[in-house]
């Protein structure tokens, strides 16, 4: 199973941001829309460099879907009691692969100029 708490996902996002490469964050919603919203708030704040530096509110503000955040109305996603089936060697291989993929992404200043800019400069 793969059901990490939001703080673990945010640590991964922080590491990717610190790699200094272009980053596009996409994701699904999961089975619980309230948990997905909680998690994405923290992920976006992390990607922007605001979390955990800026303290997010502890509780969900009242709004139309407020009852879905019961019973504690907290912005923290609850820990799941699913066993982690990932082995250390699998995680190490995954990390090595991620580093290879990231190293092959050119930095913005390494990219050739767009065709339109070449035409304007001529």
């Amino acid at each position: 199973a793969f059901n990490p708490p939001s703080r673990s996902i945010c640590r991964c996002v922080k590491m990717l941001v610190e790699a200094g490469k272009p980053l596009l964050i996409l994701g699904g919603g999961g089975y619980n829309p309230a948990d997905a919203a909680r998690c994405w708030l923290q992920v976006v704040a992390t990607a922007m460099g605001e979390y955990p530096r800026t303290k997010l509110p502890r509780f969900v503000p009242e709004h139309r879907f407020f009852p879905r955040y019961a019973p504690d109305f907290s912005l923290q996603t609850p820990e799941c009691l699913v066993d982690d089936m990932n082995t250390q060697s699998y995680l190490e291989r995954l990390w090595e692969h991620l580093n290879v993929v990231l190293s092959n992404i050119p930095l913005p200043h390494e990219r050739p100029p767009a065709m339109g800019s070449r035409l304007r400069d001529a």
Side-chain angles (χ1 to χ4, degrees):
F2 185 74
N3 192 11
S6 57
R7 72 173 180 272
S8 297
I9 295 170
C10 289
R11 276 194 300 242
C12 292
V13 168
K14 185 174 187 274
M15 288 170 43
L16 291 170
V17 168
E18 289 172 350
K21 302 286 187 172
L23 183 63
L24 174 64
I25 300 173
L26 304 172
Y31 295 106
N32 183 326
D35 283 346
R38 289 176 174 115
C39 185
W40 277 106
L41 169 71
Q42 294 173 44
V43 166
V44 169
T46 299
M48 294 175 60
E50 295 296 320
Y51 181 72
R53 185 174 54 86
T54 301
K55 190 162 176 66
L56 295 174
R58 183 165 178 220
F59 297 104
V60 175
E62 286 202 42
H63 63 294
R64 188 172 88 183
F65 300 106
F66 187 70
R68 293 184 182 182
Y69 293 83
D72 64 357
F73 304 98
S74 166
L75 280 176
Q76 295 299 315
T77 54
E79 298 271 344
C80 184
L81 299 177
V82 176
D83 290 335
D84 182 357
M85 304 302 286
N86 296 304
T87 65
Q88 185 65 32
S89 63
Y90 169 75
L91 294 174
E92 288 169 1
R93 286 192 322 271
L94 188 62
W95 182 247
E96 288 171 15
H97 177 71
L98 177 63
N99 282 317
V100 168
V101 169
L102 288 175
S103 69
N104 288 319
I105 299 173
L107 292 171
H109 66 275
E110 296 172 338
R111 293 189 179 148
M115 182 57 94
S117 65
R118 283 189 221 157
L119 294 174
R120 276 181 268 140
D121 295 340

